[in-house]
Amino acid sequence: MKKKTRILLADDHQLVRAGFRALLKEIPAVEVVAEAGDGREALDMFKKHRPDVVLIDIAMPKLNGLEAIARITREFPNAMVIVLSVYANQEYVVQAIQAGARGYLIKEDAVSELKAAIKGVTAGELYLSPRIAKDLTSGDLERVGVRYDPLAKLTTRQREILQLIAEGNNTKEIAFLLNVSAKTVEAHRTQLMQRLRINDIPSLVRQAMRAGLVPGEGPAA
Protein backbone atom coordinates (compact mmCIF):
# COMPACT_ATOMS: atom_id res chain seq x y z
CA MET A 1 0.00 0.00 0.00
CA LYS A 2 1.39 3.37 -1.02
CA LYS A 3 2.41 5.60 1.85
CA LYS A 4 0.24 8.68 2.29
CA THR A 5 1.65 12.19 2.01
CA ARG A 6 1.72 13.64 5.52
CA ILE A 7 0.48 17.22 5.84
CA LEU A 8 1.01 20.00 8.38
CA LEU A 9 -1.76 22.59 8.09
CA ALA A 10 -0.91 26.05 9.45
CA ASP A 11 -3.42 28.91 9.51
CA ASP A 12 -4.47 31.23 12.33
CA HIS A 13 -8.19 30.85 11.59
CA GLN A 14 -9.73 27.66 12.94
CA LEU A 15 -12.59 27.74 10.43
CA VAL A 16 -10.13 28.05 7.55
CA ARG A 17 -8.16 25.06 8.84
CA ALA A 18 -11.39 23.10 9.15
CA GLY A 19 -12.25 23.93 5.55
CA PHE A 20 -8.87 22.81 4.24
CA ARG A 21 -8.95 19.73 6.43
CA ALA A 22 -12.26 18.78 4.79
CA LEU A 23 -10.77 19.33 1.33
CA LEU A 24 -7.75 17.20 2.19
CA LYS A 25 -9.99 14.37 3.38
CA GLU A 26 -11.25 14.15 -0.18
CA ILE A 27 -7.73 13.32 -1.36
CA PRO A 28 -7.08 9.65 -0.50
CA ALA A 29 -3.31 9.91 -0.85
CA VAL A 30 -2.83 12.50 1.91
CA GLU A 31 -3.42 12.81 5.64
CA VAL A 32 -3.24 15.77 8.04
CA VAL A 33 -0.85 14.83 10.85
CA ALA A 34 -0.71 18.18 12.63
CA GLU A 35 -2.16 21.70 12.69
CA ALA A 36 -0.83 25.04 13.85
CA GLY A 37 -2.48 28.37 14.61
CA ASP A 38 0.60 30.60 14.41
CA GLY A 39 4.07 30.65 12.92
CA ARG A 40 5.92 29.53 16.02
CA GLU A 41 3.57 26.61 16.53
CA ALA A 42 4.10 25.68 12.87
CA LEU A 43 7.85 25.43 13.54
CA ASP A 44 7.28 23.29 16.62
CA MET A 45 4.79 21.01 14.84
CA PHE A 46 7.16 20.57 11.91
CA LYS A 47 10.02 19.51 14.16
CA LYS A 48 7.76 17.16 16.09
CA HIS A 49 5.96 15.47 13.19
CA ARG A 50 8.34 15.97 10.22
CA PRO A 51 5.51 16.15 7.67
CA ASP A 52 6.06 15.67 3.94
CA VAL A 53 4.26 18.91 3.03
CA VAL A 54 3.46 22.10 4.91
CA LEU A 55 0.43 24.16 3.90
CA ILE A 56 0.88 27.59 5.47
CA ASP A 57 -0.64 31.06 5.38
CA ILE A 58 1.48 34.20 5.13
CA ALA A 59 -0.41 36.40 7.63
CA MET A 60 0.31 34.51 10.85
CA PRO A 61 0.58 35.81 14.44
CA LYS A 62 3.72 35.50 16.60
CA LEU A 63 5.82 34.62 13.54
CA ASN A 64 4.71 35.46 10.01
CA GLY A 65 4.47 32.73 7.41
CA LEU A 66 7.40 33.96 5.34
CA GLU A 67 9.75 33.86 8.32
CA ALA A 68 8.38 30.48 9.38
CA ILE A 69 9.04 29.13 5.87
CA ALA A 70 12.58 30.51 5.90
CA ARG A 71 13.34 28.92 9.26
CA ILE A 72 11.84 25.57 8.33
CA THR A 73 13.66 25.33 4.99
CA ARG A 74 16.93 26.59 6.45
CA GLU A 75 16.94 23.81 9.03
CA PHE A 76 15.29 21.24 6.78
CA PRO A 77 16.32 22.00 3.16
CA ASN A 78 14.15 19.22 1.74
CA ALA A 79 10.97 20.52 3.36
CA MET A 80 8.14 20.99 0.86
CA VAL A 81 6.12 24.11 1.68
CA ILE A 82 3.06 25.42 -0.12
CA VAL A 83 1.75 28.88 0.70
CA LEU A 84 -2.02 29.22 1.03
CA SER A 85 -2.86 32.91 0.80
CA VAL A 86 -5.52 35.42 -0.11
CA TYR A 87 -2.76 37.59 -1.57
CA ALA A 88 -2.04 37.31 -5.30
CA ASN A 89 0.55 40.08 -5.17
CA GLN A 90 3.63 39.08 -7.18
CA GLU A 91 5.97 40.44 -4.54
CA TYR A 92 4.53 38.07 -1.94
CA VAL A 93 4.96 35.19 -4.40
CA VAL A 94 8.60 36.04 -5.03
CA GLN A 95 9.29 36.50 -1.31
CA ALA A 96 7.67 33.16 -0.52
CA ILE A 97 9.76 31.34 -3.13
CA GLN A 98 12.86 33.16 -1.94
CA ALA A 99 12.08 31.99 1.61
CA GLY A 100 11.98 28.42 0.36
CA ALA A 101 8.35 27.72 -0.59
CA ARG A 102 7.83 25.29 -3.46
CA GLY A 103 4.26 26.29 -4.17
CA TYR A 104 1.93 29.27 -3.93
CA LEU A 105 -1.82 28.73 -4.00
CA ILE A 106 -4.59 31.32 -3.82
CA LYS A 107 -7.05 30.17 -1.16
CA GLU A 108 -10.13 30.66 -3.28
CA ASP A 109 -8.59 28.41 -5.95
CA ALA A 110 -7.87 25.61 -3.50
CA VAL A 111 -10.95 23.54 -4.28
CA SER A 112 -9.80 22.97 -7.85
CA GLU A 113 -6.01 23.18 -7.37
CA LEU A 114 -5.03 21.79 -3.97
CA LYS A 115 -4.56 18.22 -5.17
CA ALA A 116 -2.48 19.36 -8.17
CA ALA A 117 -0.35 21.61 -5.96
CA ILE A 118 0.49 18.80 -3.53
CA LYS A 119 1.19 16.38 -6.39
CA GLY A 120 3.38 18.95 -8.12
CA VAL A 121 5.63 19.86 -5.19
CA THR A 122 6.04 16.24 -4.09
CA ALA A 123 7.20 15.48 -7.63
CA GLY A 124 9.86 18.16 -7.30
CA GLU A 125 8.06 20.85 -9.29
CA LEU A 126 7.34 24.47 -8.50
CA TYR A 127 3.56 24.93 -8.35
CA LEU A 128 1.98 28.34 -8.84
CA SER A 129 -1.73 29.06 -9.16
CA PRO A 130 -2.34 29.61 -12.90
CA ARG A 131 -3.65 33.15 -12.43
CA ILE A 132 -0.42 34.00 -10.61
CA ALA A 133 1.82 32.19 -13.07
CA LYS A 134 0.40 33.92 -16.13
CA ASP A 135 1.37 37.34 -14.76
CA LEU A 136 4.71 36.38 -13.27
CA THR A 137 7.63 37.27 -15.52
CA SER A 138 10.81 35.27 -15.95
CA GLY A 139 12.63 38.22 -14.41
CA ASP A 140 10.58 37.91 -11.23
CA LEU A 141 11.67 34.32 -10.82
CA GLU A 142 15.25 34.94 -11.92
CA ARG A 143 15.59 37.14 -8.84
CA VAL A 144 15.28 34.03 -6.71
CA GLY A 145 17.07 31.67 -9.08
CA VAL A 146 13.98 29.75 -10.16
CA ARG A 147 13.13 28.50 -13.63
CA TYR A 148 9.41 28.02 -14.17
CA ASP A 149 7.81 26.46 -17.21
CA PRO A 150 4.29 27.92 -17.56
CA LEU A 151 3.47 25.12 -19.99
CA ALA A 152 4.45 22.34 -17.59
CA LYS A 153 0.83 21.45 -16.88
CA LEU A 154 0.06 20.88 -20.58
CA THR A 155 0.20 17.45 -22.18
CA THR A 156 2.62 16.78 -25.02
CA ARG A 157 -0.24 16.93 -27.52
CA GLN A 158 -1.50 20.24 -26.10
CA ARG A 159 1.96 21.78 -26.37
CA GLU A 160 2.16 20.55 -29.95
CA ILE A 161 -1.20 22.13 -30.79
CA LEU A 162 -0.24 25.35 -29.01
CA GLN A 163 2.86 25.63 -31.20
CA LEU A 164 0.84 25.00 -34.37
CA ILE A 165 -1.70 27.64 -33.34
CA ALA A 166 1.08 30.11 -32.65
CA GLU A 167 2.56 29.38 -36.08
CA GLY A 168 -0.70 30.52 -37.64
CA ASN A 169 -2.38 27.22 -38.48
CA ASN A 170 -6.16 27.02 -38.28
CA THR A 171 -8.15 24.11 -36.85
CA LYS A 172 -8.50 22.23 -40.14
CA GLU A 173 -4.80 22.59 -40.93
CA ILE A 174 -3.81 21.34 -37.49
CA ALA A 175 -6.21 18.40 -37.79
CA PHE A 176 -4.65 17.48 -41.15
CA LEU A 177 -1.08 17.75 -39.83
CA LEU A 178 -1.81 15.60 -36.77
CA ASN A 179 -4.15 13.22 -38.58
CA VAL A 180 -6.98 13.80 -36.09
CA SER A 181 -10.46 15.27 -36.35
CA ALA A 182 -11.19 18.99 -36.10
CA LYS A 183 -13.29 18.26 -33.01
CA THR A 184 -10.29 16.66 -31.34
CA VAL A 185 -8.17 19.73 -32.06
CA GLU A 186 -10.89 22.00 -30.70
CA ALA A 187 -11.14 19.90 -27.54
CA HIS A 188 -7.38 20.08 -26.95
CA ARG A 189 -7.39 23.83 -27.61
CA THR A 190 -10.19 24.36 -25.09
CA GLN A 191 -8.38 22.31 -22.46
CA LEU A 192 -5.04 24.05 -22.92
CA MET A 193 -6.70 27.46 -22.72
CA GLN A 194 -8.40 26.42 -19.49
CA ARG A 195 -5.14 25.16 -18.01
CA LEU A 196 -3.30 28.35 -18.95
CA ARG A 197 -6.24 30.57 -17.93
CA ILE A 198 -6.14 32.21 -21.36
CA ASN A 199 -9.30 33.16 -23.23
CA ASP A 200 -8.15 34.29 -26.68
CA ILE A 201 -5.80 33.22 -29.46
CA PRO A 202 -3.51 36.32 -29.41
CA SER A 203 -2.75 35.64 -25.74
CA LEU A 204 -2.03 32.01 -26.57
CA VAL A 205 0.42 33.13 -29.22
CA ARG A 206 2.17 35.47 -26.77
CA GLN A 207 2.43 32.66 -24.22
CA ALA A 208 3.94 30.35 -26.82
CA MET A 209 6.49 33.05 -27.69
CA ARG A 210 7.42 33.59 -24.03
CA ALA A 211 7.86 29.84 -23.60
CA GLY A 212 10.11 29.66 -26.65
CA LEU A 213 7.82 27.41 -28.71
CA VAL A 214 7.93 29.89 -31.57
CA PRO A 215 10.23 32.85 -32.33
CA GLY A 216 9.20 36.08 -30.69
CA GLU A 217 9.70 37.22 -27.13
CA GLY A 218 12.10 34.39 -26.42
CA PRO A 219 11.95 31.61 -23.87
CA ALA A 220 11.13 32.40 -20.26
CA ALA A 221 14.51 31.29 -18.95
Side-chain angles (χ1 to χ4, degrees):
M1 187 174 180
K2 189 176 180 180
K3 182 181 176 182
K4 289 188 175 183
T5 299
R6 302 168 68 253
I7 304 288
L8 165 60
L9 181 58
D11 193 289
D12 59 323
H13 294 95
Q14 188 172 355
L15 285 176
V16 173
R17 293 202 307 274
F20 279 109
R21 191 165 58 246
L23 284 176
L24 291 164
K25 283 184 178 179
E26 299 298 316
I27 307 175
V30 307
E31 62 176 334
V32 177
V33 296
E35 295 185 25
D38 62 64
R40 292 191 182 281
E41 187 178 17
L43 285 175
D44 292 340
M45 289 297 99
F46 187 93
K47 293 176 181 179
K48 180 178 180 180
H49 295 277
R50 302 294 177 88
D52 300 305
V53 175
V54 181
L55 302 176
I56 188 170
D57 193 9
I58 286 181
M60 299 272 281
K62 297 185 180 178
L63 186 70
N64 72 76
L66 293 175
E67 182 60 28
I69 293 168
R71 294 190 186 187
I72 288 172
T73 56
R74 185 164 54 243
E75 189 169 348
F76 304 93
N78 294 323
M80 293 178 283
V81 183
I82 300 173
V83 171
L84 298 173
S85 180
V86 297
Y87 303 113
N89 184 288
Q90 292 183 29
E91 194 59 38
Y92 275 120
V93 179
V94 171
Q95 288 180 30
I97 296 171
Q98 193 168 34
R102 300 192 186 183
Y104 197 106
L105 185 61
I106 302 302
K107 284 183 176 180
E108 65 184 77
D109 296 335
V111 172
S112 61
E113 295 180 20
L114 187 57
K115 182 178 180 179
I118 294 171
K119 182 179 179 181
V121 299
T122 54
E125 302 171 0
L126 173 69
Y127 185 92
L128 302 176
S129 284
R131 61 177 166 140
I132 289 176
K134 72 182 180 65
D135 294 324
L136 206 61
T137 68
S138 58
D140 291 327
L141 294 176
E142 282 176 355
R143 281 193 281 157
V144 290
V146 173
R147 290 177 59 90
Y148 175 69
D149 180 4
L151 308 184
K153 54 178 60 65
L154 299 182
T155 65
T156 300
R157 178 64 89 185
Q158 288 167 353
R159 292 171 70 104
E160 187 176 17
I161 289 174
L162 174 58
Q163 178 174 343
L164 292 171
I165 290 172
E167 290 174 348
N169 296 284
N170 61 36
T171 299
K172 289 183 178 180
E173 290 169 336
I174 295 172
F176 177 78
L177 287 169
L178 300 181
N179 195 28
V180 297
S181 70
K183 285 187 177 180
T184 297
V185 173
E186 290 171 355
H188 280 303
R189 184 181 62 201
T190 298
Q191 291 169 0
L192 75 86
M193 292 177 82
Q194 289 174 342
R195 292 190 180 190
L196 295 175
R197 296 289 182 93
I198 291 175
N199 300 315
D200 58 84
I201 299 301
S203 296
L204 273 184
V205 174
R206 287 194 293 272
Q207 183 65 79
M209 289 179 176
R210 285 196 293 270
L213 289 182
V214 293
E217 299 178 30

